[in-house]
Amino acid sequence: AQKVTQAQTEISVVEKEDVTLDCVYETRDTTYYLFWYKQPPSGELVFLIRRNSFDEQNEISGRYSWNFQKSTSSFNFTITASQVVDSAVYFCALPVLYSTLTFGKGTMLLVSP
Amino acid sequence: ETGVTQSPTHLIKTRGQQVTLRCSSQSGHNTVSWYQQALGQGPQFIFQYYREEENGRGNFPPRFSGLQFPNYSSELNVNALELDDSALYLCASRPKSSDNEQFFGPGTRLTVL
């Protein structure tokens, strides 16, 4: 079955600390995409990244980086030098039937000044 | 800004009532999906419409129904509301060729008393 697990329910850090959000997935597909979304208190899901399973290179975008390891079915997300504006709930997601998404339960990140 | 809008922002209903939530997608986005997000959970797929026909459904009862219109707007209807229907309802749209990337609206917060 297609499944996404985000074991960290809540993480609290102080501004400028680095933080890694974990995502472990299960899929029976041989090729697939993985996604990360950010959900600020306003509620809208903000797309962060889409990753194809045949590209295992790490990706960096500013303070954000992603580590995809197919061997361990993990797609972890690191924020470097966190800022208060990074406070949000972060979701990892995997496409399932009809190209819709199955989401993990999310990790709430609280960054304090 | 994803170009996807939803109305209303908030809604309060009582048990047993019926509710209609609305979503307006970007022009050219002929696929729309609806998700239910209970407090502290990830979004759960309700159903998807493509060219005005339902082409996928999650594990939700028939009292959850929808419509999609030629002008890229859509509706989610819920009959016989139950307390557990209280949630954030998100719609997401995408063009057929998007390789799964979905654009989410800000959501409608439904409270059932």
Side-chain angles (χ1 to χ4, degrees), chain A residues 50-98:
Chain A
R50 178 186 64 202
R51 197 77 178 152
N52 192 306
S53 59
F54 57 71
D55 182 2
E56 289 195 63
Q57 284 191 347
N58 291 338
E59 181 152 345
I60 298 174
S61 175
R63 296 184 297 108
Y64 295 168
S65 63
W66 289 269
N67 179 263
F68 177 36
Q69 294 198 346
K70 209 168 178 179
S71 60
T72 57
S73 297
S74 65
F75 185 40
N76 297 335
F77 172 34
T78 297
I79 302 175
T80 303
S82 59
Q83 300 175 0
V84 172
V85 294
D86 295 328
S87 296
V89 181
Y90 291 85
F91 291 97
C92 182
L94 177 69
V96 289
L97 290 175
Y98 324 113

Side-chain angles (χ1 to χ4, degrees), chain A residues 9-110:
Chain A
T9 306
E10 185 175 319
I11 301 175
S12 293
V13 299
V14 177
E15 212 170 14
K16 297 185 183 177
E17 284 186 28
D18 298 347
V19 58
T20 296
L21 309 180
D22 298 333
C23 171
V24 173
Y25 62 92
E26 295 176 30
T27 179
R28 49 178 176 264
D29 296 334
T30 52
T31 60
Y32 47 90
Y33 287 99
L34 289 161
F35 292 78
W36 275 94
Y37 282 86
K38 174 182 179 179
Q39 188 174 44
S42 60
E44 184 169 340
L45 281 168
V46 178
F47 168 79
L48 295 178
I49 190 172
R50 178 186 64 202
R51 197 77 178 152
N52 192 306
S53 59
F54 57 71
D55 182 2
E56 289 195 63
Q57 284 191 347
N58 291 338
E59 181 152 345
I60 298 174
S61 175
R63 296 184 297 108
Y64 295 168
S65 63
W66 289 269
N67 179 263
F68 177 36
Q69 294 198 346
K70 209 168 178 179
S71 60
T72 57
S73 297
S74 65
F75 185 40
N76 297 335
F77 172 34
T78 297
I79 302 175
T80 303
S82 59
Q83 300 175 0
V84 172
V85 294
D86 295 328
S87 296
V89 181
Y90 291 85
F91 291 97
C92 182
L94 177 69
V96 289
L97 290 175
Y98 324 113
S99 297
T100 59
L101 296 172
T102 189
F103 289 83
K105 291 189 174 182
T107 298
M108 178 178 286
L109 174 64
L110 299 171

